[in-house]
Amino acid sequence: MIELSQVRKVFHAGRPNEHVAVAGVSLTLEAGRLTVFRGPSGSGKTTLLSLIGCMTRPTSGRIFLQGREITSLPLPFLTDLRRRTFGFIFQQFHLLAKVSVLENVMLPAYPLGESYSALKSRALSWLERLGLAAKAAAKVEWLSGGEAQRVAIARALINGPQVLIADEPTAHLDSHLSQEFMALMADFKTAGTTILIASHDPLVHEAVAVDRVVDLRDGRLVSPESRIC
Amino acid sequence: MARRLHKQRYLLDFALSSLWRRKGKNLALLGVYSLLVFVLASVLFFTQALKREAALVLAASPELIVQKLAAGRHDLIPAAYAERLREIRGVSRVSGRLWGYYYDARVRANYTVMAPEEVAVPEQAVLVGAGIARGRHLSRGSTLTFQGYDGTPRAFQVRGVLSPESELLTADLVLMAAADVRRLFGLAEGLYTDLTVAVNNPREVATVAAKIQELLPDTRPILRDEIRRTYEAAFDWRAGILLSVFSGALLAFLIFAWDKAAGLSAEERREIGILKAMGWETGEVLQLKFWEGAVVSLTAFFMGTLAAYLHVFVAAAPLLAPVLQGWSVLYPRFRLTPFIGLFEVAILFFFTVVPYTAATIVPTWRAAGLEPDQVMRS
Ligand SMILES: Nc1ncnc2c1ncn2[C@@H]1O[C@H](COP(=O)(O)OP(=O)(O)OP(=O)(O)O)[C@@H](O)[C@H]1O
Ligand SMILES: [Mg+2]
């Protein structure tokens, strides 16, 4: 369970170009649910996801992960928490060019230093589940958009995260691939993973697996605070 | 513990694969770097070897030499002078030396022909230095002919080639029996080229020299200290030239490292961002870049040092040879004895590997310090 209490994020605080990206959000996100954040461009969706995923710290307010306050944790703990708890899928996929699919998937696990054979077999089994077994040795620049995203998904899953965070995951996919993506997310949710998605895409909002859509505007929750499906 | 080890293995493997991914750039870098190390190490090895040769020359030369002067020019010294010198207090031993320079027109080099004190050479036989052996293609059993002072050719059988620790000392040396030296140069019995004087107490050498001057005003005592000074002057001059080469190369290296430091390609920056977003810590990204820098710089260091070793000690330093000119009469066939000081190599290591590795880390440190969420938007 994730709880946000009066979370604010201000960029360039105290300067003429000061910008409030998240303006006091209080929110409770149930574990094992699929939540979608919706809102116009610049409404603070990406910023909110980075705050939840410990990628950046709030300017004020507090975030709790399973009852534990994480906003004031020292950096090494925060990093450790981030890589064991959260898996990220970026809009641009952010795969390393000229590196094999397999190595891209294994990359987030390197700092944890487990044995190579265990890591490799785990990465291969994820690739297999995502239908990419044949591409393990391929370089990522040879992949189609859908394949590249599935590599990004496998990479997000490699450390066994409890929470999967995806920012505009369908922006580069056609309708069919978008639906496939949402079906995959539904599978992961069934397996117990908490899923947070930021998206403009109605295909995402309307997917059956979505438990809750949170509307944002100008960095605030739109009232009625949220709609529970 | 095993985890830490595994982690470093992963980082090293990934560093290697990253280097390979940018192989064009990194091979060029490795080439330039190896070349610089090669220049630095060549100069270093060369000066060190020369220094050691000079030290050996000094160690082998007698503490005090007495020459006779005739109108300021070197003249042969009568054996009777030796008797007078033995009477001086503090002198332990006086011996006469027989030697002279012989110009060999065939190889256009001067040989030092000498009657050795320690070893006995049979008449009509010689021991030759390695430089002469090379120049005249001599080996044990060959015949070497000299033109005597009166024009008559004199044949000697080569009994062996001198292979001492310092070639500089003996490259041009020909050892033969005292009687043969006398016959070759036409030296009458009872005359020597010069006298060497051994002194009981090394601190009294100057006093003894002064006494000799007083006792025999037509002689000139030469102290080893004076020889040392001459050598040092000659050596310092050469070292000065080499030092300028060295500092030039070092400067080039620093510019090169600085350039590397200033530039982190957009691709590298992007990769660092991705790693951070994947949950890598700043320190882990730095370790990765450390491995990259260490691999490049260690490889370049070993390749450059090895090439320099071959250049200086096997190929006889063709690129630095002009500096050697005038040092040895048997130039350019002269070969330095391999000698490497660990301290100097450590210095070289410190001045090349460390700045380079640091130069790869510093810009990464700046780039890796960014918050990971920055890559979410780009
Ligand atoms: N590092 C930053 N520095 C300054 N302003 C920033 C920074 N990051 C985000 N912002 C600003 O914060 C606001 C919210 O940005 P955010 O990316 O969270 O919006 P979003 O809802 O994800 O938009 P989109 O739908 O276009 O992705 C924007 O106005 C953006 O310009
Ligand atoms: Mg966004």
Side-chain angles (χ1 to χ4, degrees):
Chain A
M1 195 182 67
I2 301 163
E3 255 185 279
L4 283 75
S5 159
Q6 288 302 312
V7 171
R8 276 169 64 86
K9 180 70 180 179
V10 183
F11 290 108
H12 310 299
R15 278 188 272 161
N17 58 348
E18 177 177 291
H19 184 90
V20 183
V22 175
V25 170
S26 299
L27 188 64
T28 302
L29 299 163
E30 304 279 332
R33 297 288 177 86
L34 198 166
T35 307
V36 175
F37 293 88
R38 177 169 65 183
S41 187
S43 58
K45 303 184 292 295
T46 301
T47 308
L48 196 59
L49 289 186
S50 342
L51 287 167
I52 295 170
C54 307
M55 284 224 182
T56 184
R57 287 179 198 272
T59 310
S60 65
R62 293 189 291 174
I63 301 173
F64 299 85
L65 186 70
Q66 278 148 354
R68 180 177 175 207
E69 210 237 329
I70 57 172
T71 13
S72 54
L73 282 179
L75 192 61
F77 291 92
L78 208 61
T79 308
D80 195 59
L81 192 73
R82 173 153 65 93
R83 56 189 173 201
R84 290 176 193 279
T85 311
F86 298 99
F88 294 89
I89 301 163
F90 302 101
Q91 180 176 351
Q92 314 284 348
F93 310 147
H94 287 316
L95 300 175
L96 289 193
K98 296 184 209 159
V99 173
S100 76
V101 165
L102 182 66
E103 187 151 30
N104 259 291
V105 173
M106 289 163 61
L107 217 54
Y110 286 173
L112 302 177
E114 66 191 295
S115 87
Y116 182 79
S117 53
L119 175 56
K120 187 179 172 184
S121 71
R122 191 148 39 87
L124 282 172
S125 78
W126 273 120
L127 286 174
E128 195 158 342
R129 264 203 64 187
L130 295 166
L132 286 166
K135 302 273 181 183
K139 305 263 186 249
V140 291
E141 56 270 34
W142 302 341
L143 302 177
S144 70
E147 287 169 336
Q149 187 179 53
R150 277 178 285 149
V151 174
I153 296 170
R155 184 179 63 180
L157 292 167
I158 195 68
N159 287 337
Q162 297 150 30
V163 183
L164 202 55
I165 295 179
D167 191 18
E168 307 284 358
T170 59
H172 296 296
L173 304 180
D174 61 23
S175 309
H176 174 68
L177 285 172
S178 302
Q179 271 157 351
E180 257 182 22
F181 174 82
M182 289 312 289
L184 259 172
M185 292 302 119
D187 284 354
F188 295 143
K189 189 184 84 168
T190 315
T193 309
T194 308
I195 296 168
L196 308 176
I197 300 174
S199 182
H200 285 110
D201 188 352
L203 251 170
V204 172
H205 311 147
E206 287 153 18
V208 283
V210 175
D211 298 305
R212 181 180 177 192
V213 174
V214 177
D215 281 296
L216 283 171
R217 182 172 285 272
D218 302 325
R220 291 173 207 281
L221 300 182
V222 175
S223 40
E225 193 207 63
S226 54
R227 166 179 71 99
I228 313 250
C229 301
Chain B
M1 197 59 222
R3 276 186 182 270
R4 278 201 195 169
L5 222 65
H6 274 129
K7 175 174 167 179
Q8 291 307 320
R9 270 270 335 253
Y10 280 125
L11 293 180
L12 178 58
D13 280 353
F14 190 58
L16 288 173
S17 83
S18 299
L19 287 173
W20 189 243
R21 248 183 300 141
R22 292 182 276 275
K23 54 179 165 297
K25 180 189 164 194
N26 284 313
L27 287 177
L29 217 62
L30 192 67
V32 174
Y33 194 165
S34 303
L35 191 71
L36 280 166
V37 173
F38 167 77
V39 172
L40 290 172
S42 289
V43 170
L44 197 68
F45 291 164
F46 193 67
T47 30
Q48 275 190 296
L50 283 187
K51 225 177 199 163
R52 201 181 92 107
E53 302 279 351
L56 285 172
V57 169
L58 275 174
S61 66
E63 219 163 2
L64 184 56
I65 296 170
V66 180
Q67 287 181 346
K68 183 169 184 289
L69 292 182
R73 143 185 98 74
H74 171 235
D75 195 11
L76 298 171
I77 194 162
Y81 277 44
E83 296 308 321
R84 307 274 312 267
L85 294 181
R86 284 193 188 101
E87 288 158 16
I88 296 174
R89 266 190 55 174
V91 169
S92 60
R93 202 169 61 93
V94 180
S95 46
R97 295 199 304 179
L98 282 171
W99 62 274
Y101 293 123
Y102 179 90
Y103 179 71
D104 185 352
R106 267 178 64 185
V107 292
R108 268 176 277 164
N110 272 306
Y111 301 160
T112 305
V113 177
M114 198 166 205
E117 282 178 47
E118 298 88 2
V119 277
V121 184
E123 293 199 12
Q124 252 120 66
V126 286
L127 297 174
V128 296
I132 300 174
R134 270 200 299 274
R136 294 284 304 256
H137 307 288
L138 299 175
S139 57
R140 210 184 145 85
S142 14
T143 307
L144 181 62
T145 308
F146 288 122
Q147 193 107 54
Y149 74 103
D150 51 0
T152 53
R154 292 176 181 280
F156 295 91
Q157 205 198 17
V158 176
R159 279 298 172 96
V161 177
L162 299 165
S163 56
E165 13 172 13
S166 163
E167 208 172 282
L168 178 67
L169 212 54
T170 59
D172 66 344
L173 201 60
V174 176
L175 298 180
M176 59 174 72
D180 279 333
V181 176
R182 288 190 190 283
R183 274 195 288 274
L184 184 66
F185 292 114
L187 305 177
E189 282 295 333
L191 289 176
Y192 290 101
T193 311
D194 53 25
L195 301 176
T196 62
V197 178
V199 178
N200 286 327
N201 182 352
R203 273 185 298 179
E204 280 177 9
V205 176
T207 326
V208 171
K211 279 188 196 158
I212 293 172
Q213 192 82 78
E214 208 176 299
L215 195 67
L216 303 165
D218 61 344
T219 62
R220 174 178 167 228
I222 303 166
L223 302 177
R224 177 156 66 185
D225 267 0
E226 285 172 41
I227 304 175
R228 174 181 295 140
R229 251 171 270 140
T230 313
Y231 264 114
E232 273 172 4
F235 180 77
D236 284 348
W237 179 74
R238 286 176 171 80
I241 295 176
L242 291 179
L243 193 70
S244 59
V245 175
F246 190 85
S247 47
L250 201 63
L251 188 70
F253 180 79
L254 290 179
I255 291 169
F256 164 72
W258 176 251
D259 183 56
K260 175 88 172 87
L264 200 60
S265 71
E267 191 196 350
E268 284 175 282
R269 213 179 287 275
R270 180 174 173 270
E271 286 189 11
I272 291 170
I274 293 176
L275 293 176
K276 287 280 299 209
M278 294 290 84
W280 285 42
E281 278 176 40
T282 305
E284 287 153 357
V285 176
L286 290 181
Q287 282 169 42
L288 174 74
K289 292 292 162 179
F290 166 81
W291 281 122
E292 283 187 23
V295 166
V296 169
S297 54
L298 286 175
T299 310
F301 179 78
F302 285 120
M303 293 206 322
T305 309
L306 183 69
Y309 183 90
L310 296 176
H311 169 231
V312 172
F313 297 120
V314 178
L319 301 177
L320 298 173
V323 186
L324 194 64
Q325 217 150 10
W327 181 270
S328 162
V329 284
L330 285 181
Y331 165 86
R333 311 254 16 196
F334 176 74
R335 200 173 280 174
L336 287 164
T337 315
F339 172 75
I340 294 177
L342 278 181
F343 177 71
E344 280 77 5
V345 174
I347 296 255
L348 182 67
F349 182 86
F350 187 80
F351 273 103
T352 53
V353 173
V354 174
Y356 182 83
T357 308
T360 49
I361 288 182
V362 170
T364 310
W365 181 56
R366 269 187 264 137
L370 290 177
E371 284 208 27
D373 81 303
Q374 298 295 329
V375 301
M376 297 272 280
R377 38 186 107 247
S378 60

